[in-house]
Protein backbone atom coordinates (compact mmCIF):
# COMPACT_ATOMS: atom_id res chain seq x y z
CA UNK A 1 0.00 0.00 0.00
CA UNK A 2 1.43 3.37 -1.00
CA UNK A 3 1.09 6.28 1.32
CA UNK A 4 0.33 9.77 0.01
CA UNK A 5 2.71 12.27 1.58
CA UNK A 6 1.48 15.84 1.90
CA UNK A 7 4.29 18.37 2.00
CA UNK A 8 4.49 20.15 5.33
CA UNK A 9 4.74 23.90 5.56
CA UNK A 10 6.14 25.94 8.43
CA UNK A 11 3.48 26.84 11.01
CA UNK A 12 4.28 30.54 10.44
CA UNK A 13 3.44 30.19 6.74
CA UNK A 14 0.19 28.36 7.50
CA UNK A 15 -0.84 31.11 9.91
CA UNK A 16 0.16 33.80 7.40
CA UNK A 17 -2.08 32.26 4.73
CA UNK A 18 -4.98 31.95 7.18
CA UNK A 19 -4.49 35.60 8.19
CA UNK A 20 -4.48 36.58 4.51
CA UNK A 21 -7.92 35.00 3.99
CA UNK A 22 -9.15 36.34 7.34
CA UNK A 23 -8.34 39.83 6.01
CA UNK A 24 -9.40 39.30 2.38
CA UNK A 25 -12.83 37.71 2.69
CA UNK A 26 -14.45 40.19 5.12
CA UNK A 27 -13.80 42.86 2.46
CA UNK A 28 -15.97 40.88 0.04
CA UNK A 29 -18.59 40.19 2.71
CA UNK A 30 -18.75 43.95 3.42
CA UNK A 31 -18.96 44.67 -0.35
CA UNK A 32 -15.76 46.75 -0.19
CA UNK A 33 -14.97 45.53 -3.68
CA UNK A 34 -12.15 47.90 -4.65
CA UNK A 35 -10.29 47.02 -1.45
CA UNK A 36 -11.04 43.33 -1.92
CA UNK A 37 -9.62 43.42 -5.45
CA UNK A 38 -6.41 45.05 -4.22
CA UNK A 39 -5.70 41.66 -2.61
CA UNK A 40 -5.53 40.23 -6.17
CA UNK A 41 -2.72 40.78 -8.66
CA UNK A 42 -3.61 43.20 -11.50
CA UNK A 43 -3.50 40.28 -13.98
CA UNK A 44 -5.58 37.94 -11.80
CA UNK A 45 -8.12 35.40 -12.99
CA UNK A 46 -11.25 34.06 -11.31
CA UNK A 47 -13.07 31.05 -12.71
CA UNK A 48 -16.26 29.27 -11.64
CA UNK A 49 -16.77 25.71 -12.89
CA UNK A 50 -18.63 23.73 -14.10
CA UNK A 51 -20.84 25.73 -16.47
CA UNK A 52 -19.41 28.89 -15.04
CA UNK A 53 -17.56 32.01 -15.88
CA UNK A 54 -13.98 33.19 -16.20
CA UNK A 55 -12.96 36.77 -15.47
CA UNK A 56 -9.55 38.27 -16.10
CA UNK A 57 -8.02 41.29 -14.41
CA UNK A 58 -9.25 43.52 -11.61
CA UNK A 59 -11.37 45.72 -13.89
CA UNK A 60 -13.42 42.83 -15.26
CA UNK A 61 -13.78 41.37 -11.76
CA UNK A 62 -14.96 44.71 -10.36
CA UNK A 63 -17.58 45.07 -13.09
CA UNK A 64 -18.93 41.54 -12.50
CA UNK A 65 -18.87 41.74 -8.71
CA UNK A 66 -20.47 45.20 -8.63
CA UNK A 67 -23.38 43.89 -10.68
CA UNK A 68 -23.96 40.83 -8.48
CA UNK A 69 -23.14 41.73 -4.87
CA UNK A 70 -26.15 43.94 -4.25
CA UNK A 71 -26.83 46.19 -1.29
CA UNK A 72 -27.36 44.77 2.21
CA UNK A 73 -29.56 47.75 3.12
CA UNK A 74 -32.05 47.18 0.30
CA UNK A 75 -35.04 44.90 0.69
CA UNK A 76 -34.27 41.30 -0.14
CA UNK A 77 -33.95 40.70 -3.88
CA UNK A 78 -36.59 38.60 -5.58
CA UNK A 79 -35.78 34.95 -6.02
CA UNK A 80 -33.37 34.42 -8.87
CA UNK A 81 -30.65 32.03 -10.00
CA UNK A 82 -27.03 33.00 -10.61
CA UNK A 83 -27.47 32.21 -14.32
CA UNK A 84 -30.65 34.31 -14.63
CA UNK A 85 -29.08 37.18 -12.68
CA UNK A 86 -26.23 37.32 -15.19
CA UNK A 87 -28.60 37.10 -18.16
CA UNK A 88 -30.81 39.88 -16.78
CA UNK A 89 -27.95 41.87 -15.22
CA UNK A 90 -29.45 42.00 -11.72
CA UNK A 91 -27.92 41.67 -8.26
CA UNK A 92 -28.90 38.67 -6.20
CA UNK A 93 -27.48 39.53 -2.78
CA UNK A 94 -29.71 42.53 -1.96
CA UNK A 95 -30.83 42.55 1.66
CA UNK A 96 -28.56 39.66 2.64
CA UNK A 97 -25.56 39.29 4.91
CA UNK A 98 -23.29 36.62 3.52
CA UNK A 99 -20.26 34.89 4.98
CA UNK A 100 -17.52 32.66 3.57
CA UNK A 101 -16.41 29.59 5.51
CA UNK A 102 -13.13 27.81 4.65
CA UNK A 103 -11.90 24.44 5.87
CA UNK A 104 -9.23 21.79 5.18
CA UNK A 105 -6.65 24.18 3.79
CA UNK A 106 -3.71 22.56 2.01
CA UNK A 107 -0.76 24.83 1.20
CA UNK A 108 1.92 23.73 -1.24
CA UNK A 109 4.88 26.01 -2.04
CA UNK A 110 5.24 26.07 -5.84
CA UNK A 111 8.12 28.50 -6.30
CA UNK A 112 10.04 31.03 -4.23
CA UNK A 113 7.19 33.53 -4.14
CA UNK A 114 4.22 31.34 -5.12
CA UNK A 115 1.89 29.10 -3.12
CA UNK A 116 -0.84 26.76 -4.28
CA UNK A 117 -3.68 26.68 -1.76
CA UNK A 118 -6.62 24.26 -1.94
CA UNK A 119 -9.57 24.38 0.45
CA UNK A 120 -13.27 23.61 0.80
CA UNK A 121 -15.61 26.57 1.06
CA UNK A 122 -19.22 27.29 1.85
CA UNK A 123 -21.22 30.53 1.59
CA UNK A 124 -24.03 31.30 4.03
CA UNK A 125 -26.65 33.99 3.45
CA UNK A 126 -28.74 35.47 6.27
CA UNK A 127 -31.80 37.63 5.59
CA UNK A 128 -33.29 40.37 7.79
CA UNK A 129 -35.56 37.83 9.52
CA UNK A 130 -32.56 35.68 10.48
CA UNK A 131 -33.26 32.91 7.96
CA UNK A 132 -30.01 31.27 6.83
CA UNK A 133 -29.51 29.56 3.49
CA UNK A 134 -26.42 28.17 1.79
CA UNK A 135 -24.94 28.17 -1.67
CA UNK A 136 -23.60 24.83 -2.97
CA UNK A 137 -20.33 23.80 -1.37
CA UNK A 138 -17.14 24.24 -3.37
CA UNK A 139 -13.50 23.34 -3.70
CA UNK A 140 -11.31 26.40 -4.25
CA UNK A 141 -7.84 26.35 -5.74
CA UNK A 142 -5.86 29.56 -5.38
CA UNK A 143 -2.44 30.56 -6.54
CA UNK A 144 -1.05 33.11 -4.10
CA UNK A 145 1.94 35.20 -5.04
CA UNK A 146 4.13 37.28 -2.77
CA UNK A 147 4.64 40.81 -4.13
CA UNK A 148 6.55 43.40 -2.14
CA UNK A 149 6.39 41.07 0.86
CA UNK A 150 2.57 40.73 0.77
CA UNK A 151 0.47 37.76 -0.35
CA UNK A 152 -1.91 38.40 -3.27
CA UNK A 153 -4.27 36.13 -5.20
CA UNK A 154 -3.06 35.56 -8.75
CA UNK A 155 -5.73 33.03 -9.67
CA UNK A 156 -8.80 31.44 -8.11
CA UNK A 157 -10.73 28.47 -9.49
CA UNK A 158 -14.00 27.72 -7.69
CA UNK A 159 -15.43 24.27 -8.48
CA UNK A 160 -19.01 23.88 -7.29
CA UNK A 161 -20.07 20.49 -5.98
CA UNK A 162 -23.29 20.70 -7.99
CA UNK A 163 -23.16 20.96 -11.77
CA UNK A 164 -26.45 22.87 -11.56
CA UNK A 165 -25.17 25.47 -9.11
CA UNK A 166 -25.81 28.40 -11.48
CA UNK A 167 -29.49 27.43 -11.65
CA UNK A 168 -29.90 27.23 -7.87
CA UNK A 169 -32.49 29.71 -6.68
CA UNK A 170 -30.96 32.36 -4.43
CA UNK A 171 -33.00 33.77 -1.55
CA UNK A 172 -35.76 31.13 -1.55
CA UNK A 173 -38.82 32.23 0.42
Amino acid sequence: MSQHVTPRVRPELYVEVQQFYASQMPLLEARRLEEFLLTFTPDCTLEHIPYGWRFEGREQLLKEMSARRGDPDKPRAEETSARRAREENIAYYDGLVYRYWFDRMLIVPAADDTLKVRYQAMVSMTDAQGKVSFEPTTVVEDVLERRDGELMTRSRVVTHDSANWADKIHNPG
Side-chain angles (χ1 to χ4, degrees):
M1 169 163 57
S2 69
Q3 186 178 21
H4 178 71
V5 178
T6 302
R8 293 183 184 258
V9 296
R10 296 182 337 273
E12 296 83 11
L13 179 61
Y14 193 87
V15 169
E16 180 185 14
V17 170
Q18 286 203 326
Q19 289 293 329
F20 170 75
Y21 290 118
S23 298
Q24 182 189 56
M25 298 315 294
L27 297 171
L28 181 59
E29 294 168 349
R31 294 160 171 97
R32 293 165 48 191
L33 301 179
E34 284 97 359
E35 291 173 73
F36 171 73
L37 290 173
L38 288 176
T39 68
F40 284 72
T41 63
D43 59 343
C44 64
T45 60
L46 175 64
E47 184 176 359
H48 282 253
I49 54 178
Y51 309 116
W53 302 273
R54 180 180 169 90
F55 306 102
E56 297 182 11
R58 288 179 182 161
E59 187 175 315
Q60 192 178 33
L61 276 169
L62 180 59
K63 181 180 176 186
E64 172 63 20
M65 291 179 159
S66 295
R68 308 293 162 238
R69 293 299 157 188
D71 183 344
D73 296 323
K74 282 186 173 180
R76 194 175 76 166
E78 71 176 67
E79 292 182 9
T80 188
S81 70
R83 189 177 312 279
R84 192 177 115 214
R86 281 178 175 75
E87 290 168 358
E88 298 176 13
N89 200 30
I90 59 173
Y92 52 79
Y93 287 114
D94 283 347
L96 297 172
V97 174
Y98 60 105
R99 300 282 183 237
Y100 288 83
W101 307 89
F102 296 168
D103 190 27
R104 292 188 251 165
M105 190 174 297
L106 177 64
I107 303 166
V108 178
D112 289 342
D113 292 327
T114 304
L115 304 170
K116 292 183 178 182
V117 183
R118 184 179 195 276
Y119 52 93
Q120 282 75 38
M122 182 172 63
V123 180
S124 65
M125 300 173 290
T126 305
D127 68 15
Q129 289 73 42
K131 181 180 176 191
V132 178
S133 59
F134 297 93
E135 291 199 349
T137 52
T138 62
V139 172
V140 181
E141 295 178 273
D142 281 354
V143 174
L144 301 182
E145 189 173 281
R146 191 175 303 280
R147 292 193 180 180
D148 298 322
E150 297 293 322
L151 290 176
M152 301 181 85
T153 305
R154 185 173 70 205
S155 68
R156 177 166 290 163
V157 177
V158 181
T159 303
H160 295 261
D161 292 339
S162 169
N164 298 320
W165 73 273
D167 295 317
K168 174 194 171 284
I169 298 296
H170 289 260
N171 314 329

